[in-house]
Amino acid sequence: MTEIPTIKLNDGNEMPQFGFGVFQIPDHDEAVKAVEMALANGYRLIDTAEAYNNQKAVGEGMKNSGVDRSDIFLTTKLWVSNFSYEKAKTAIDNDLEELGTDYIDLILLHQAYGDVYGAWRAMEEVLCFGWIDTTHKRINGVDMQRFTPRSKRSQWSELNKERCRRLEKLGLMTKAERKELPDMSEDAFKIDPDIKAAFDENLIAWENFQKFPKLYQRVRIDSIQRNKKKDQAVFDKRLKKLIEQSEKNKMFGQWNNYGRLLEY
């Protein structure tokens, strides 16, 4: 199979445009074999669901395939019986166990029926901390993003911190979840000296940048300096773009979850 093209989602992740679904394969052994063969033939998106009753088989097939988990885009779906805040959180935990993985690339609400808002709210929390956010992922040999469990030692992005601040203000943060948070004070954020030095060489860019929303400033700086140790070339390229756009007095990129982090 030729390389499958990808499409960029709203959160910046890349999803293969062509995948393999396991609907109507309830037999465990058949589902395992089907997933193994699909991955062996070049598929990298596997689509399952709680209602398909084969998540364990999908996880086993993925494991048996020899394909690195980070090269597979895994989708599952919450069934309507789990559409409430508490049920959805429990269901997602169970999905992870059945699939034998520590992260799911995409979770869908299978039908727009029942307590959709409650299930969505649970998925927001999962996105903020439990099992989903950016560290590292590879798709078709290209560095992308990865969903991963969160703890104080995790690489918390400034965008992720702001999501949690929103949950706290909305009264949706639990005591157990607060224990996993890093230092959430905005004053704790520091700019890399090399970034500040680059701005010092272009005072117009710095003056314009300082007028942008504080969240934008933190998110943009964080998205650059997080790559410094991993890839100096990426760091330099992104820093150059930031300086150029700031000099033009232009903001760029997604930095507020499409407006949801502006007023809450």
Side-chain angles (χ1 to χ4, degrees):
M1 180 182 291
T2 58
E3 184 172 319
I4 298 174
T6 62
I7 186 170
K8 182 174 289 187
L9 304 178
N10 286 339
D11 65 355
N13 283 293
E14 299 277 342
M15 179 178 75
Q17 295 187 33
F18 192 56
F20 184 81
V22 293
F23 177 52
Q24 293 185 332
I25 314 180
D27 182 84
H28 181 86
D29 293 340
E30 288 185 10
V32 171
K33 186 176 180 180
V35 171
E36 291 176 356
M37 293 180 65
L39 293 171
N41 282 281
Y43 287 94
R44 289 299 178 265
L45 187 157
I46 302 296
D47 179 280
T48 185
E50 293 172 358
Y52 297 173
N53 295 313
N54 54 21
Q55 291 191 134
K56 288 185 178 180
V58 168
E60 187 175 328
M62 289 168 51
K63 183 179 180 180
N64 295 345
S65 71
V67 177
D68 193 285
R69 172 64 185 92
S70 64
D71 289 327
I72 301 172
F73 191 99
L74 176 63
T75 299
T76 193
K77 311 171 192 72
L78 289 179
W79 186 237
V80 293
S81 59
N82 291 319
F83 280 14
S84 76
Y85 174 71
E86 292 297 340
K87 288 182 179 179
K89 292 180 71 173
T90 300
I92 293 171
D93 195 18
N94 184 66
D95 293 339
L96 289 163
E97 183 176 353
E98 286 195 350
L99 290 163
T101 183
D102 62 353
Y103 67 100
I104 298 169
D105 296 276
L106 178 64
I107 301 176
L108 303 174
L109 299 179
H110 212 146
Q111 296 183 15
Y113 179 82
D115 186 9
V116 173
Y117 176 75
W120 184 267
R121 192 155 57 87
M123 291 170 67
E124 272 196 312
E125 290 194 25
V126 170
L127 175 66
C128 287
F129 322 63
W131 304 286
I132 308 175
D133 206 276
T134 304
T135 55
H136 183 66
K137 182 173 178 64
R138 292 178 66 82
I139 297 178
N140 294 331
V142 180
D143 288 342
M144 299 297 180
Q145 294 176 315
R146 175 180 175 171
F147 297 160
T148 185
R150 290 252 149 243
S151 69
K152 286 182 181 293
R153 294 176 294 178
S154 296
Q155 297 182 38
W156 286 81
S157 69
E158 287 302 304
L159 183 60
N160 201 71
K161 288 181 180 179
E162 194 66 22
R163 290 169 178 161
C164 290
R165 292 187 186 103
R166 174 177 177 269
L167 288 177
E168 182 69 69
K169 190 167 184 179
L170 293 176
L172 302 177
M173 191 73 72
T174 67
K175 184 177 180 180
E177 290 165 342
R178 290 190 189 96
K179 290 182 179 179
E180 303 302 327
L181 297 176
D183 184 347
M184 297 293 286
S185 64
E186 295 180 12
D187 293 338
F189 180 72
K190 305 298 181 184
I191 298 179
D192 183 277
D194 289 342
I195 295 178
K196 186 58 172 66
F199 269 119
D200 287 342
E201 295 178 2
N202 191 324
L203 295 181
I204 293 177
W206 177 245
E207 289 177 4
N208 291 339
F209 185 73
Q210 288 293 95
K211 296 176 184 178
F212 295 146
K214 295 298 183 182
L215 176 60
Y216 173 83
Q217 294 180 37
R218 295 197 308 274
V219 170
R220 284 279 70 81
I221 293 293
D222 180 59
S223 68
I224 296 172
Q225 59 192 32
R226 286 162 59 86
N227 286 283
K228 186 176 182 181
K229 291 182 179 180
K230 185 174 68 174
D231 194 324
Q232 184 67 41
V234 171
F235 173 85
D236 294 338
K237 181 179 180 180
R238 292 184 176 180
L239 177 56
K240 180 181 178 182
K241 181 177 181 179
L242 177 63
I243 298 295
E244 291 175 346
Q245 293 301 306
S246 297
E247 184 177 13
K248 297 176 183 177
N249 202 29
K250 292 183 178 180
M251 296 191 296
F252 66 96
Q254 179 51 240
W255 57 276
N256 57 38
N257 276 182
Y258 299 89
R260 302 178 72 188
L261 299 179
L262 295 179
E263 296 180 6
Y264 54 84

